Amino acid sequence: MNLRLKVLLLAVAPLLLAIAAIASVVQIETEALADAETRAVLPVLESARRTELKHYVDLAMGAIEHLHDAPDQQAARAHALNILQQLDFGEDGYFYVYDQRGRNLMHPREPQLVGKDLWDMLDPQGVPTIQRLIAQAKAGGGYVEFFWNRPSTHRVERKLGYVALEPKWGWMIGTGIYLDDLDDARMRIEKAASNAISATMTIIVVIAGAAALIVAICGFALNLSTQRSAEVRMRALAHQVVLSQETERARVARELHDGVSQLLVSVKFIFESVQERVAQLRGEAPAGLAEMTDKGVTRLNEVLREVRRISHDLRPTALDDLGLKAALAQTLNEFGTRTGLQVCLKAEDNPTLPGPVATALFRVVQEALTNIERHAHASEVTVTLMSRPQALRLSITDNGRGFDPEALAALPRGGLGLTSMRERIETLGGMFFMRAGPQGTSIEIVLTAAALRA
C-alpha cells in the first residue's frame, strides 16, 4: 500500500467511524424516543378514549331523559330504545341496553340477541361478560374490559366499555371501543419512528458518502498538487544540476584549452627546437637521438589532439561562438572521421537558442552518437534540425539493428543514457519520443515556444 493511499485512509477512516458512531447513537436515541413517545401518548390516548366513552353514555342518558315523565311509560321505553338504536359513531361504535337480569333490550349490530337472556354468557376465557357489565353499572358506572364480536371483522376482540345504570327504568346502558385501535395507534407510532430512523440513516449515509467523497477529492487534489509541486521543484533542481555540470564542463574545457594545451604547445616547441638542432649536428649527434626526438614530437601531437578532443567534448567552442548548427556539424564530422560511418546533417538554418536549450540538444546528440557507435552497428546516421517560431524539432536516426526498450530497462544499469536524454528534454518542458526496431532507431525531440524560452 503506497503512502498516498495510507494518507487517504487515515483521513477517511476516522470520518467514517465518527459518522457510523453518530448514526448508531441517532438510531438508539430515536428508538428510545419512539418508545418514550409511545409510553407517553398511549395513556393519554386511552384516557381520552375513556373520557369520550363516558361522554357518549352521558349523551345517551340525556337523549332519553325527557321521556321519564311521559304518561305512557311503555311507549316511552320503546321510543327511548329506538333513540338509543339510532345513536352510533361508526361501524363499530354503538350503544347496547340490558335489564338488570341480563336480558338484552337493544343491540343495533346484533339484532338476533334482542330479547335473549344473556346472564350466563361467557367470553373465550370463561368470564361472565354480562354479569360484569351489570355489576359495574350497579356500582355507579365505570369501565369494563371484555371480549365481544366486532361487527366490521366478525371476530371476537378485546373491547373497552363504559356502562351506567339508567335511574328511571333500571337499564344498563353502555358503549365501547375495540382496543386494537390503541394497538393500531401504537403500530403507527412505531412505524413513523421506524420511517424517521430510516430517513435519518439515509441522510446520514448520504452525508457520509458526500463527506468521504469530498475528503477523497481534496486528498487527491492535495496529492496531485503536492506531486506537481514536487515535480516542478525536482525539474528545477535537475535543471540547476545540469547547469552546474555544464558550467563545470566549460571551466574544465577552458583549463584544458587555455592551460594544458598551451603548456603542451610550449613543450612541443622545445622538442621541435631540439629536433632542428639535432638535424644541424648531423653525424655529430649521438646515435638514436634524432629518432627519439621524432617520437617525442609525434607523441606530443597525439596528446595535443586528445586534449583538444576532450576539451571539445566537454564544451565545444563552436556551440558558444557559432551556434548549435555549427557545433552539430563539427561533432558529426569528427564522429564520421573516427567511426567511418556515413553521417548527414539536415538543418535549414542556425536557430538562436538560449544557452541551456542549445546545450541540452547538443548533449542529446552526443549521447545518441555514443550509443550508435557502441551498440547500433549502423552504417548511416542522420541528424535533422528544423526550427519554426512555434516549435523546434530535432531527430536522430540510424539504420542499425535497434533494440528492445523494455528489455533494456529491465537491466540493472540499462537505459541510463536514454533516461538522461529524456530527463534533459523534459526538464526544459519538451517532448521526447523514441522508436526502435529492426530497421533502426529514431529519436525525436520537440520543444515548444515556451520551452525555447527556458
Side-chain angles (χ1 to χ4, degrees):
M1 185 181 298
N2 58 34
L3 180 60
R4 293 179 187 172
L5 185 56
K6 290 180 180 178
V7 172
L8 183 60
L9 288 178
L10 287 175
V12 175
L15 175 64
L16 295 180
L17 289 176
I19 293 177
I22 293 173
S24 300
V25 171
V26 168
Q27 183 173 4
I28 293 172
E29 292 299 323
T30 306
E31 291 176 352
L33 180 62
D35 292 339
E37 183 180 0
T38 301
R39 290 193 299 270
V41 170
L42 288 181
V44 174
L45 182 61
E46 185 174 353
S47 176
R49 292 293 180 89
R50 286 174 176 266
T51 303
E52 184 180 6
L53 290 177
K54 184 177 183 304
H55 289 168
Y56 283 157
V57 173
D58 291 343
L59 179 64
M61 292 288 192
I64 63 175
E65 186 178 3
H66 68 283
L67 299 175
H68 288 171
D69 299 329
D72 187 353
Q73 286 294 302
Q74 184 174 359
R77 285 195 292 270
H79 184 50
L81 291 176
N82 185 55
I83 291 174
L84 293 175
Q85 186 167 1
Q86 300 301 319
L87 294 177
D88 61 18
F89 44 96
E91 186 176 5
D92 296 326
Y94 55 88
F95 290 91
Y96 47 84
V97 181
Y98 289 83
D99 63 19
Q100 298 185 29
R101 293 187 298 275
R103 185 169 61 90
N104 185 278
L105 301 178
M106 188 274 295
H107 200 298
R109 297 295 185 269
E110 297 182 78
Q112 72 276 9
L113 299 179
V114 176
K116 291 185 178 180
D117 183 1
L118 302 178
W119 180 263
D120 296 324
M121 188 184 74
L122 303 177
D123 66 13
Q125 296 180 350
V127 178
T129 303
I130 304 303
Q131 292 180 28
R132 291 180 61 216
L133 293 173
I134 294 174
Q136 185 64 46
K138 289 180 177 181
Y143 302 95
V144 180
E145 285 192 18
F146 59 96
F147 288 90
W148 197 266
N149 182 59
R150 183 169 187 166
S152 61
T153 62
H154 303 289
R155 293 197 306 267
V156 176
E157 298 181 12
R158 194 161 60 96
K159 187 174 184 179
L160 174 65
Y162 182 84
V163 294
L165 192 65
E166 203 283 326
K168 176 67 175 178
W169 298 309
W171 295 345
M172 184 271 290
I173 301 175
T175 188
I177 59 170
Y178 290 90
L179 293 179
D180 61 340
D181 291 342
L182 297 178
D183 295 335
D184 290 341
R186 180 186 294 106
M187 292 179 62
R188 286 195 298 272
I189 293 174
E190 292 175 352
K191 184 177 180 181
S194 177
N195 292 337
I197 292 173
S198 299
T200 303
M201 295 301 294
T202 301
I203 293 173
I204 291 175
V205 169
V206 171
I207 293 174
L213 182 61
I214 291 172
V215 170
I217 292 174
C218 291
F220 178 76
L222 180 61
N223 286 336
L224 185 60
S225 175
T226 303
Q227 179 182 1
R228 288 180 178 176
S229 178
E231 288 178 353
V232 169
R233 290 196 298 269
M234 186 66 70
R235 196 169 288 173
L237 180 60
H239 187 60
Q240 187 63 37
V241 169
V242 170
L243 291 180
S244 299
Q245 289 177 344
E246 292 300 329
T247 301
E248 185 63 19
R249 282 171 176 261
R251 187 188 67 79
V252 174
R254 286 194 301 270
E255 291 292 336
L256 287 175
H257 184 271
D258 299 338
V260 177
S261 292
Q262 298 302 325
L263 291 175
L264 289 175
V265 169
S266 299
V267 173
K268 177 185 175 184
F269 286 158
I270 293 174
F271 267 85
E272 288 177 346
S273 298
V274 173
Q275 186 181 29
E276 184 177 353
R277 188 68 178 271
V278 169
Q280 291 175 355
L281 293 176
R282 296 181 182 177
E284 299 178 4
L289 181 58
E291 183 179 356
M292 292 176 60
T293 305
D294 293 340
K295 287 183 179 179
V297 172
T298 302
R299 291 293 176 86
L300 276 174
N301 287 329
E302 292 175 355
V303 171
L304 275 171
R305 284 194 297 272
E306 186 65 17
V307 168
R308 287 169 180 165
R309 185 191 66 79
I310 294 174
S311 175
H312 178 267
D313 289 342
L314 288 173
R315 184 70 182 182
T317 56
L319 184 62
D320 296 326
D321 299 337
L322 302 178
L324 180 61
K325 179 180 178 180
L328 291 179
Q330 181 181 353
T331 299
L332 286 172
N333 289 334
E334 293 176 356
F335 178 79
T337 301
R338 185 177 70 254
T339 61
L341 273 65
Q342 182 179 350
V343 296
C344 177
L345 174 63
K346 297 179 181 179
E348 299 176 356
D349 53 10
N350 190 19
T352 302
L353 302 173
V357 175
T359 301
L361 294 175
F362 180 78
R363 295 302 181 198
V364 169
V365 173
Q366 272 189 323
E367 183 66 32
L369 294 177
T370 300
N371 290 338
I372 292 171
E373 182 179 0
R374 291 178 180 176
H375 311 293
H377 299 284
S379 60
E380 296 180 2
V381 179
T382 302
V383 177
T384 304
L385 178 65
M386 292 191 301
S387 177
R388 297 290 184 272
Q390 296 79 15
L392 179 143
R393 176 178 173 270
L394 173 68
S395 64
I396 307 126
T397 59
D398 66 73
N399 62 347
R401 62 183 182 181
F403 62 95
D404 185 355
E406 295 182 359
L408 181 64
L411 298 176
R413 295 182 58 84
L416 291 180
L418 292 173
T419 302
S420 175
M421 288 190 283
R422 183 184 299 276
E423 289 179 351
R424 281 181 179 272
I425 299 305
E426 290 181 350
T427 298
L428 297 174
M431 294 174 286
F432 182 93
F433 307 98
M434 183 189 66
R435 293 181 294 275
Q439 290 76 28
T441 302
S442 172
I443 294 175
E444 184 171 342
I445 296 163
V446 178
L447 294 176
T448 61
L452 295 175
R453 291 193 295 268

